[in-house]
Amino acid sequence: LGYSTTALADYILTKDLDTAVHELPALFSEIYKAVKGLPNSLNEDMDDLLRSIVRDVYISALVSKELYDEDDQIKKFYSKIATVKITDLIKIEQRPKPQGIECVGDINGLNFYPSMSIPLKDIPKILEVGNVLFVGPPGTGKTKVAKGLANALTGGKEQCYDIYTANSLWFRRNVIGGESLERGNTVWRSGIFIRAYVKASRVTKGYYYVVIDEVNRADVDKAFGELFTIISDNDPENWSIPSSLVDEIKSYEGRRDEYADLFVKIYEREKDKPLRKIRFIATMNLTDVRNLFYVGEAFARRFSIIQFNPPQGAEDVEFFAKGKNIPGLEEIKKFVMCVRENMRDYLEISPASIEKTLSLYEKLGGKGVEDFGRLLKLNLGTLNQEVIERYEKVYVKCLWGNEKGV
């Protein structure tokens, strides 16, 4: 591109204006080849993009020849190229503008075990007015529902949602973006939010969803503090990106990633409009707190909180057994109720454990409750030896009425 534009500058200054403008194809096709593979981030057609380049090249050419005061010549050149269809001259097809995406779907096909504190059908309405946080013990279906909703509500279009799992190493750079060292140079790398903003700008109908699984595995204040400011209002229509963030990203011109470049250009045109199309669906575990970070009220206030509760009886056995060949189903239901009653102080037997155990029971040709109980031990979801030993005693008790197996 540099070689071609230098040659073009010399070419322009050796010709009269009419000749220069109408003989541009000889050199300009080379510039087109250099430019056509770049992202069309400005939503410009190729003609406008090429015209802006040749205009800048012409000014540079005049400066290189120390013709600083040639205002009349510059004005004449501008008037010439403003009327020329450069893409017609070099006989190329214009690049298509990026197509908008309709992120629209429904939840009619979803079939989740109903462990939520509200009906599944109400969640899309809640997402229209804000973000949701699924809270509950492991294995109650939080992640499954979060991913299923994002997929269903966008009609299965992967361009309409992203899924992340938080971890303890996250900080501002991961969530918003920030400085990063690459090959000894300082660059600005986009985080989850900036990437979501750019992708949401393409959404013409519906929302762009960001699923963050196990959000409290990150240090929430450290990682999400700035995001709190951006989505602080209860009404998404009032969400706004602080000018300090925009100015920060702008200051890294030439040293920022593609998403950051796109963000700057889109923000100049659309401001906070794409932001208001973003919805966050987060999940949070309430157990294993030794490995998790505290989530304060500042975070919780940005979400509608939906509880996921473990079953108290054996209703999940009935739910997951539908359509399966499960010999001894009634005995299995009684066994699960007994196990839950006797294990409650040690471990919640999750719906996920029941679902997986029933699938194995069917595939392995289980014959009765004893087989089911042995398979359930494999799917308790714990390595805690004390809990496993307790289950072994409860297994015997729930089969035979006492812990000695008599």
Side-chain angles (χ1 to χ4, degrees):
L1 179 59
Y3 174 82
S4 299
T5 52
T6 300
L8 178 61
D10 291 338
Y11 177 80
I12 289 172
L13 290 179
T14 60
K15 304 284 184 179
D16 62 83
L17 284 179
D18 287 335
T19 303
V21 169
H22 290 285
E23 292 185 1
L24 283 177
L27 286 169
F28 217 83
S29 59
E30 294 302 314
I31 294 179
Y32 168 72
K33 290 176 185 177
V35 171
K36 67 177 180 179
L38 300 176
N40 193 6
S41 55
L42 295 176
N43 287 329
E44 293 180 315
D45 64 20
M46 179 60 79
D47 208 64
D48 291 338
L49 192 59
L50 296 179
R51 185 178 289 112
S52 65
I53 291 175
V54 73
R55 184 178 59 217
D56 292 342
V57 165
Y58 185 65
I59 294 174
S60 297
L62 292 177
V63 171
S64 70
K65 301 294 184 181
E66 298 184 354
L67 301 174
Y68 302 110
D69 300 320
E70 298 293 331
D71 288 344
D72 290 341
Q73 192 172 358
I74 292 173
K75 288 177 182 177
K76 288 179 183 178
F77 185 73
Y78 279 3
S79 66
K80 291 287 184 181
I81 66 169
T83 59
V84 173
K85 191 75 172 172
I86 297 175
T87 48
D88 288 344
L89 289 176
I90 58 179
K91 296 181 173 58
I92 57 174
E93 293 182 5
Q94 294 189 30
R95 284 187 298 175
K97 294 182 179 180
Q99 297 297 309
I101 307 169
E102 290 193 1
C103 298
V104 178
D106 58 62
I107 63 170
N108 293 335
L110 296 183
N111 185 30
F112 297 124
Y113 172 69
S115 58
M116 294 155 283
S117 56
I118 65 169
L120 179 66
K121 64 180 179 62
D122 291 344
I123 299 179
K125 292 294 183 183
I126 296 173
L127 283 166
E128 289 180 11
V129 296
N131 310 305
V132 297
L133 174 64
F134 296 156
V135 176
T140 48
K142 303 181 299 297
T143 301
K144 192 172 185 179
V145 173
K147 292 179 178 179
L149 278 171
N151 185 268
L153 292 174
T154 59
K157 298 183 181 74
E158 293 185 357
Q159 312 99 302
C160 296
Y161 64 91
D162 270 317
I163 299 172
Y164 303 90
T165 300
N167 65 66
S168 60
L169 299 179
W170 274 17
F171 59 104
R172 190 252 196 184
R173 187 177 66 190
N174 301 92
V175 175
I176 301 293
E179 281 190 349
S180 179
L181 282 175
E182 293 187 4
R183 301 188 187 96
N185 298 315
T186 303
V187 298
W188 206 95
R189 288 287 163 211
S190 301
I192 292 169
F193 170 71
I194 295 298
R195 293 196 293 269
Y197 175 95
V198 171
K199 294 177 182 180
S201 70
R202 304 166 189 158
V203 176
T204 58
K205 189 175 182 181
Y207 300 100
Y208 184 85
Y209 295 95
V210 179
V211 177
I212 303 179
D213 195 26
E214 300 187 5
V215 67
N216 52 332
R217 292 200 176 278
D219 185 332
V220 171
D221 290 336
K222 179 178 71 175
F224 294 91
E226 192 165 341
L227 184 62
F228 294 165
T229 303
I230 294 171
I231 61 172
S232 60
D233 199 279
N234 291 329
D235 185 354
E237 289 301 310
N238 295 326
W239 291 353
S240 64
I241 298 172
S243 58
S244 58
L245 176 58
V246 179
D247 292 341
E248 175 189 336
I249 299 173
K250 284 182 176 180
S251 71
Y252 283 83
E253 185 173 4
R255 297 182 296 123
R256 58 195 181 211
D257 66 10
E258 179 184 356
Y259 278 108
D261 276 337
L262 291 172
F263 169 82
V264 170
K265 292 165 184 175
I266 294 167
Y267 187 82
E268 288 176 354
R269 185 177 66 247
E270 300 190 32
K271 302 302 181 186
D272 294 317
K273 185 178 177 182
L275 167 62
R276 294 158 188 167
K277 299 176 186 177
I278 299 173
R279 293 295 184 271
F280 293 92
I281 304 175
T283 76
M284 186 176 82
N285 282 328
L286 291 181
T287 58
D288 196 21
V289 293
R290 291 167 299 178
N291 298 320
L292 304 177
F293 286 93
Y294 172 73
V295 173
E297 292 184 2
F299 182 88
R301 283 196 300 270
R302 272 70 177 180
F303 294 83
S304 294
I305 300 173
I306 298 172
Q307 298 284 341
F308 279 62
N309 303 308
Q312 300 302 306
E315 55 269 31
D316 53 338
V317 178
E318 187 79 43
F319 181 86
F320 292 122
K322 291 176 183 177
K324 290 184 171 67
N325 179 25
I326 306 295
L329 179 60
E330 291 305 315
E331 288 77 14
I332 289 173
K333 287 163 63 177
K334 293 176 183 177
F335 172 80
V336 169
M337 291 175 65
C338 176
V339 169
R340 281 187 166 136
E341 179 66 29
N342 287 274
M343 288 291 295
R344 190 153 286 129
D345 293 337
Y346 293 82
L347 178 74
E348 292 283 0
I349 307 299
S350 70
S353 295
I354 297 298
E355 181 181 20
K356 189 171 182 180
T357 301
L358 284 171
S359 295
L360 284 173
Y361 180 82
E362 182 185 37
K363 289 182 180 298
L364 297 175
K367 302 299 183 183
V369 67
E370 292 183 43
D371 289 344
F372 178 88
R374 286 193 288 269
L375 291 172
L376 181 58
K377 179 183 175 182
L378 306 179
N379 297 294
L380 293 175
T382 182
L383 298 175
N384 188 312
Q385 195 60 35
E386 181 183 358
V387 173
I388 294 171
E389 289 174 0
R390 174 62 182 170
Y391 175 79
E392 290 171 347
K393 292 179 180 179
V394 170
Y395 167 72
V396 173
K397 178 179 180 179
C398 291
L399 282 178
W400 306 105
N402 61 72
E403 294 182 5
K404 296 181 180 179
V406 178

